[in-house]
């Protein structure tokens, strides 16, 4: 294992994005600081958030005792753990008895370790016996995960090591801004450029990443599928596609060819706003490069047509023969720290551990055997995250909710309506580090350990399973997520199925994943330390892991990737007289997600103190909007209000 610069440093990983950069933690005179670590992914580099992450360990407003309000409208007051657990378990049990177990629900998050995500899914199905569990990854990567499964038979966000980015000939990046969201990954794009590679960025905004691109396709928001179809139309017209690859390793191309025949460049220019000459140049650049990659982010994914958007771009890389080969492939630029692992082991409504499907009889029997229950005791698929949140407090809907690692009052779609639904619940329970906006609405708040106070595995965006080490003990009165779930299971009479011991849970997760698509059976803590992480699938102790997937066959029954015909469809919400402008979202380097953690770091707050809106100066003048605050930024030229 690569050593950190300080022999007394704790070697661990950043608490933020899906790069899961290696870092070291050093304690001196009671203060923790972050040090460099020469880890294969980030090679010693960290972004501003990573370098300041240790400040979270000293935050003065850290939750250190359970809080509870006796009745709606009362103020939260400190209580003992026994009082909190008794209140939660009693109410959950009473509501389930009155209205059915599915009226109690669980919402997890992409920041949980694999072990906690596994336990949470098991807790919902075995202790609560509810079908209704999902996680906040539905708000971001779910569209790409669904598209990857449809096209390749399996979703591993990035089916190759991120280092391969440096060696590919051409990259098409759609709706992702890693220069601000995960800056350490930019070293690979810089090396790719220095070796003569091309980077094409499709994004409505001229982001920091777009400014570094060889070619920027500034498409209108919501026109991603038309752009993909237009590029494929040109590739077919100009003989850039790989017909041997299409014939030997794919299926369904003919239907796609018929659809894209109508997406001639002039038509696509009218739909997307991208000049036909740039479309031609982009298609030639991708088609003529010896190797190539497609990377998508939240831009094409967080739309009503998100799955289709990603499928349309996958059609392009398949037709060009830029998949299933070294230096080639499609990847989702996963955002959350454990957004990949968090969707593999059972905290999604339709999944069981190892990427098994909860509606598959064989899969149900396999997991029931591991859990020591009968297969018919497992609930059917439940509501996905948005459906779940829409059912909160509704007549005949969900009456109680447990939230872990998610600030839905800020990050969920239609947040204003979600806040009202959260208030309408019989009981809202939130486990968090700080009193987030969601925790402030809760009837019971449970203080949990944060990243450096607990340990377990995380799976980064490239499918590398890592070990996040514990560096320090939590404050007195703070529990781990596993302790909370075990205590609740005990109080609900199902404690015999659960353990709060990490080693036991880790071994059980490996056994539950064995034979599944996401097989972790051969991944141990010792191997992770020896190899700086292990890529799944890794079914055996002597298996090397799988850094690069699909080189021999795709994960479909016949081993062939699937084309899917996609027509461009307008966005679900278009401008009208009352709302005449198109709005889109962006990211800033200094803040992360809802900001529950980063807004408590002074340096990051100084850099980006709050949300803002960027408006084109001409539009701003017409609306008599002026810059509200004085600031200096590379975004100069836009009015900030």
């Amino acid at each position: 294992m690569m050593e950190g610069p300080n022999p007394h440093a704790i070697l661990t990983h950043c608490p933020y994005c899906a790069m899961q950069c290696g870092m070291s933690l050093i304690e001196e005179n009671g203060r923790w600081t972050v040090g460099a670590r020469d880890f294969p992914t980030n090679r010693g580099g960290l972004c501003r958030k990573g370098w300041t992450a240790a400040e979270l360990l000293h935050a003065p407003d850290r939750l250190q005792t359970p809080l509870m309000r006796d009745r709606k409208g009362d103020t939260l007051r400190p209580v003992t753990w026994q009082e909190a657990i008794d209140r939660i378990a009693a109410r959950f049990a009473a509501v389930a008895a009155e209205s059915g177990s599915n009226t109690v629900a669980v919402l997890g998050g992409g920041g949980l370790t694999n072990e906690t995500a596994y336990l949470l899914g098991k807790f919902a199905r075995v202790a609560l016996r509810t079908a209704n569990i999902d996680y906040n990854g539905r708000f971001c990567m779910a569209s790409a995960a669904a598209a990857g499964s449809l096209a390749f038979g399996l979703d591993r966000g990035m089916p190759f090591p991120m280092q391969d980015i440096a060696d590919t000939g051409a990259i098409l990046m759609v709706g992702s801004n890693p220069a601000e969201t995960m800056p350490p990954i930019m070293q690979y794009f810089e090396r790719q450029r220095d070796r003569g590679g091309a980077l094409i960025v499709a994004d409505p905004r001229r982001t920091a990443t777009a400014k570094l691109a060889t070619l920027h396709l500034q498409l209108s928001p919501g026109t991603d599928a038309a752009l993909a179809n237009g590029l494929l139309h040109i590739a077919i017209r100009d003989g850039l596609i790989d017909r041997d690859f299409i014939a030997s390793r794919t299926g369904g191309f003919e239907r796609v060819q018929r659809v894209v025949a109508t997406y001639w460049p002039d038509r696509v220019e009218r739909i997307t706003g991208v000049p036909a000459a740039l479309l031609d140049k982009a298609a030639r650049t991708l088609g003529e490069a010896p190797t190539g990659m497609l990377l998508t982010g939240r831009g094409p994914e967080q739309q009503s047509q998100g799955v289709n958007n990603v499928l349309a771009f996958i059609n392009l890389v398949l037709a060009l023969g830029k998949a299933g080969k070294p230096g080639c492939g499609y990847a989702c630029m996963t955002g959350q720290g454990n957004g990949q692992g968090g969707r593999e082991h059972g905290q999604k409504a339709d999944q069981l551990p190892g990427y098994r499907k909860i509606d598959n009889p064989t899969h149900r029997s396999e997991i029931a055997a591991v859990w020591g229950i009968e297969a018919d005791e497992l609930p059917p698929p439940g509501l996905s995250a948005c459906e779940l949140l829409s059912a909160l407090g509704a007549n005949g809907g969900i009456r109680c909710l447990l939230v872990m690692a998610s600030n839905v009052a800020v990050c969920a779609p239609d947040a204003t309506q979600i806040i009202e639904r959260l208030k309408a619940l019989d009981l809202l329970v939130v486990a968090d580090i700080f009193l987030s906006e969601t925790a402030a609405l809760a009837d019971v708040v449970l203080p949990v350990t944060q990243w450096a106070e607990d340990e377990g595995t995380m799976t980064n965006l490239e499918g590398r399973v890592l070990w996040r080490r514990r560096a320090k003990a939590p404050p007195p009165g703070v529990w781990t997520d596993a302790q909370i779930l075990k205590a609740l299971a005990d109080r609900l009479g199902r404690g015999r199925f659960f353990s709060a011991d990490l080693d036991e849970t880790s071994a059980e997760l490996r056994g539950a994943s064995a034979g599944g698509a996401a097989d972790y059976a051969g991944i141990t803590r010792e191997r992770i330390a020896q190899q700086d992480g292990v890529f799944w699938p890794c079914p055996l102790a002597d298996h090397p892991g799988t850094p690069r997937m699909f080189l021999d066959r795709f994960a479909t029954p016949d081993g062939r990737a699937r084309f899917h015909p996609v027509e461009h469809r307008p966005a679900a919400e278009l401008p009208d007289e009352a709302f005449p402008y198109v709005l889109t979202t962006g990211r800033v380097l200094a803040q992360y997600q809802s900001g529950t953690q980063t807004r408590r770091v002074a340096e990051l707050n100084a850099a980006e103190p709050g949300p803002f809106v960027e408006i084109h100066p001409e539009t701003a003048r017409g609306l008599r909007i002026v810059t509200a605050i004085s600031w200096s930024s590379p975004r100069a030229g836009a009015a900030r209000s």
Side-chain angles (χ1 to χ4, degrees), residues 106-110 134-139 336 384-386 388-390 392 401-423 425 428-432 436-442 593-596 599:
V106 177
L107 188 75
D134 215 271
Y135 87 128
N136 62 10
R138 291 280 193 180
F139 307 148
Q336 294 189 74
S384 64
C386 290
L388 188 156
L389 293 172
S390 296
L392 298 180
L401 179 67
L402 168 64
V403 179
M404 281 188 163
S406 185
N407 189 9
V408 289
V410 174
C411 69
D414 198 5
T416 303
Q417 180 64 30
I418 294 302
I419 289 170
E420 295 307 310
R421 293 193 178 279
L422 292 170
K423 291 177 180 177
L425 289 166
L428 172 61
V429 181
V430 177
D432 212 327
S436 67
E437 288 82 352
T438 306
L441 299 171
Q593 293 189 313
S594 71
T596 301
R599 281 185 278 126

Side-chain angles (χ1 to χ4, degrees), residues 298-321:
R298 307 299 79 79
E301 299 163 14
Q302 288 183 322
Q303 297 183 32
S304 60
Q305 300 294 319
V307 176
N308 280 343
N309 288 340
V310 177
L311 285 172
F313 283 108
I314 289 175
N315 288 339
L316 174 64
V317 294
L318 288 176
L320 294 174

